[in-house]
Amino acid sequence: MDYDVIYIGSGNAAWQGGRFLRKAGLKILIIEESLYGGACANRGCNSKALLDAPYEIKALADNFEGVGKAGNFEVNWSDLMKFKQKRIAGMSLFLDGKFDEYDLDVAHGKGVIVDEHTVQVGEKQFTTDKIVICTGLKPIIPDIKGKEYLHDSTDFLDISELPKHTIIIGAGFVGMEFASILAEAGLTADVIIRGEMALKYFHQPYVQNIIEILKQKGIRFHFNQKVREVTCDVEIENPEAKVLNVVQGLNSDEMLRDPEAKLDNKAYDNAFTVNCESGLSLKGDYVISAIGRTANVEDIGLENVGLTYTKQGIKVNGHLQSEVPNIYACGDVADTGIAKLVTVAIHQSKYLAKELLGDADEITYPVVPAVAYTIPRIATVGVPAYIATQSDEYEVHRIRYGRSYSLELKNDRTAEAKVIVDKDFQIVGAEIYAADAENVANMFAFIINKKITLEELDYMIYAFPSSSSVCLYKLHNIHYKF
């Protein structure tokens, strides 16, 4: 065999575990057809975090309107985008260097499974004992008339100027987070939702708070609507030619666009019309498909080994093993029933390294915090409130720590959490609505995973002022039952 393990894909699901296998003496190959590091590093999480941050700061500054704020904090998207592109352009090359540091072999090209022990890249074939599929997810573009006019999250996170009027199809993470950016930028948008809920995996009263804030800032919501078609009133050259990011050789110092791509990733004034089956018709400058993501496994040879998949990915057992014993799936492409987050992919990758070394039982998961990076943020961790309210096993306590400690929270009066406890008053879940909900969620994840009691929390001394300390202090009301 050429290798002990071949990873198809180079994101966190691959290299986080692959480096430990190499350290243990196994020979590892990572195959990547695009940019090293995958979607999160180059086209997703990192780009979104960088572009979102100034708008988050703007919203925090607005808390002091009339009580000290002078002038307006404005974001120059064009300059911000140039900064983003410069920073993100180095991610793939940075990881290329890390792979070299970890002594991981790499092959640049599309990995196609030929049989249970062979993967082909271009004209070369590599043999291996184990194959790990880490190809992640890709945005869903609905199969409707005019789908060639739809942009996805990758496009929006690279657009040179923000559209004055955006139409967003979908209200999950991507749709609602982009709507928050557009709202803080003072722009308008229409959000089309097929069902009755936005961010359906989050606490709906908090989601409604976000929706009301967005409505006040020029975002319109259209529930129970199914898009039928998208039309365009201007001529766009070769609209189906997607813009791709490529690496100009493994030693290039920059990330370049495909010179053959013709699609303009820009807005056109009122050029697009989105028609829904109900008769609703909306005109805008730019249309985003944000209806979810699906397994990125087309044309990688699954049929050659008899593997099937669904939208959720490749079905695996408790060892991340597919129906073919020596082929595994890890990260977002694995259908595990667990949230598809980069943090989960890292957890799975490290587990799989132990599994492949023969040193692991079935995978287990701690509670997983999930955050919608809207403005403000909302987060959920552990037992959700909607389950707790339907059971006699739990109590839900509302902790309105922003109202009590607005001075310590940068004048944020609305921050709150709903804390779920069991019959023994052990914290088992939390829903958070706050500017820094992600940090409070991490605090609750630690409390829940380590089973820290209310009495132990009450004994500890915390840094003050801080969002965690004031939230924890309000837990006294649960501990002392008043």
Side-chain angles (χ1 to χ4, degrees):
M1 296 288 181
D2 297 322
Y3 291 95
D4 295 295
V5 182
I6 289 180
Y7 290 91
I8 303 178
S10 67
N12 284 286
W15 68 266
Q16 291 277 7
R19 56 179 172 155
F20 292 112
L21 292 175
R22 183 70 191 107
K23 189 174 182 180
L26 276 64
K27 193 173 182 183
I28 308 299
L29 175 67
I30 292 179
I31 299 171
E32 177 57 64
E33 66 172 322
S34 184
L35 295 168
Y36 295 136
C40 186
N42 300 286
R43 300 182 295 275
C45 324
N46 289 350
S47 295
K48 169 61 175 55
L50 193 154
L51 295 172
D52 164 84
Y55 295 100
E56 178 191 10
I57 293 171
K58 176 187 176 299
L60 291 172
D62 288 344
N63 287 341
F64 292 90
E65 190 71 51
V67 290
K69 176 186 171 187
N72 292 316
F73 181 96
E74 295 184 0
V75 180
N76 185 313
W77 177 269
S78 179
D79 288 347
L80 179 63
M81 179 56 65
K82 291 175 184 176
F83 176 63
K84 189 276 302 188
Q85 290 172 337
K86 182 177 179 181
R87 288 295 302 273
I88 299 302
M91 289 301 300
S92 180
L93 294 167
F94 168 77
L95 285 171
D96 184 28
K98 296 301 289 185
F99 296 165
D100 185 60
E101 177 185 333
Y102 297 141
D103 196 24
L104 301 170
D105 287 352
V106 293
H108 201 257
K110 189 176 188 67
V112 179
I113 299 171
V114 177
D115 58 41
E116 295 179 15
H117 293 283
T118 309
V119 181
Q120 183 160 338
V121 183
E123 299 299 319
K124 295 182 178 180
Q125 289 191 350
F126 303 94
T127 57
T128 182
D129 185 27
K130 302 285 194 306
I131 297 171
V132 184
I133 302 169
C134 307
T135 49
L137 304 176
K138 62 181 181 180
I140 296 174
I141 300 296
D143 189 16
I144 57 174
K145 184 178 179 181
K147 64 182 180 182
E148 63 270 20
Y149 302 122
L150 295 175
H151 293 274
D152 59 26
S153 58
T154 301
D155 297 326
F156 183 79
L157 292 173
D158 208 37
I159 192 169
S160 58
E161 293 184 10
L162 286 176
K164 295 177 182 177
H165 188 159
T166 303
I167 300 174
I168 303 171
I169 305 172
F173 287 93
V174 170
M176 293 294 282
E177 291 175 2
F178 286 178
S180 283
I181 288 177
L182 293 166
E184 292 301 323
L187 302 168
T188 60
D190 284 285
V191 181
I192 301 173
I193 305 163
R194 183 164 184 166
E196 298 179 346
M197 293 190 298
L199 290 169
K200 62 182 179 180
Y201 297 113
F202 289 84
H203 188 47
Q204 285 302 300
Y206 291 165
V207 174
Q208 287 304 312
N209 289 351
I210 299 296
I211 289 174
E212 289 306 313
I213 289 172
L214 292 175
K215 284 181 177 179
Q216 293 170 16
K217 295 185 176 183
I219 310 300
R220 294 182 289 266
F221 290 84
H222 309 274
F223 291 90
N224 298 305
Q225 298 288 341
K226 183 178 180 182
V227 175
R228 177 170 53 86
E229 67 174 2
V230 181
T231 62
C232 180
D233 297 332
V234 300
E235 184 176 348
I236 300 177
E237 184 180 4
N238 196 13
E240 292 185 329
K242 282 293 183 181
V243 176
L244 302 174
N245 287 322
V246 298
V247 175
Q248 185 72 13
L250 295 181
N251 296 316
S252 172
D253 60 356
E254 61 183 347
M255 185 171 64
L256 304 174
R257 287 186 177 278
D258 181 352
E260 300 301 320
K262 302 295 183 183
L263 177 63
D264 289 322
N265 183 29
K266 66 179 182 179
Y268 292 84
D269 291 344
N270 247 12
F272 301 98
T273 302
V274 177
N275 295 312
C276 299
E277 291 185 354
S278 67
L280 174 69
S281 184
L282 302 168
K283 292 190 73 67
D285 310 330
Y286 195 83
V287 189
I288 302 172
S289 175
I291 60 175
R293 300 170 73 82
T294 188
N296 183 29
V297 292
E298 291 183 358
D299 305 320
I300 66 167
L302 295 186
E303 67 281 0
N304 294 333
V305 288
L307 276 181
T308 59
Y309 66 95
T310 66
K311 174 184 174 182
Q312 285 70 40
I314 299 168
K315 194 70 178 177
V316 294
N317 62 18
H319 298 270
L320 301 182
Q321 185 179 41
S322 75
E323 294 174 349
V324 180
N326 73 302
I327 299 180
Y328 298 76
C330 186
D332 288 354
V333 77
D335 182 5
T336 62
I338 303 297
K340 294 181 181 295
L341 303 169
V342 65
T343 47
V344 173
I346 293 170
H347 179 80
Q348 290 176 348
S349 187
K350 291 178 178 178
Y351 160 82
L352 189 54
K354 294 179 180 179
E355 164 69 20
L356 296 179
L357 290 171
D359 189 28
D361 297 321
E362 286 196 2
I363 189 170
T364 59
Y365 296 89
V367 295
V368 179
V371 182
Y373 286 87
T374 49
I375 301 175
R377 320 306 200 190
I378 53 177
T380 183
V381 57
V383 176
Y386 81 90
I387 289 180
T389 55
Q390 299 172 8
S391 171
D392 294 334
E393 298 296 315
Y394 306 106
E395 290 182 4
V396 180
H397 295 263
R398 188 179 185 185
I399 308 296
R400 303 177 75 175
Y401 61 96
R403 187 175 64 172
S404 301
Y405 292 98
S406 61
L407 293 177
E408 291 81 7
L409 294 177
K410 302 177 179 65
N411 214 32
D412 179 8
R413 296 183 57 82
T414 62
E416 68 170 74
K418 291 184 180 176
V419 181
I420 297 93
V421 298
D422 62 17
K423 287 185 175 181
D424 297 322
F425 281 87
Q426 182 69 48
I427 297 175
V428 295
E431 312 279 4
I432 305 104
Y433 172 85
D436 62 346
E438 64 271 34
N439 294 319
V440 178
N442 285 337
M443 175 190 77
F444 277 111
F446 185 80
I447 291 169
I448 296 167
N449 282 315
K450 294 301 182 182
K451 301 186 184 301
I452 301 173
T453 66
L454 286 166
E455 184 176 2
E456 290 169 329
L457 290 172
D458 190 42
Y459 172 76
M460 298 178 193
I461 298 174
Y462 307 97
F464 179 88
S466 64
S467 57
S468 55
S469 67
V470 296
C471 182
L472 285 164
Y473 183 76
K474 294 295 288 184
L475 294 182
H476 290 191
N477 293 348
I478 305 174
H479 179 50
Y480 295 114
K481 302 181 184 179
F482 63 79

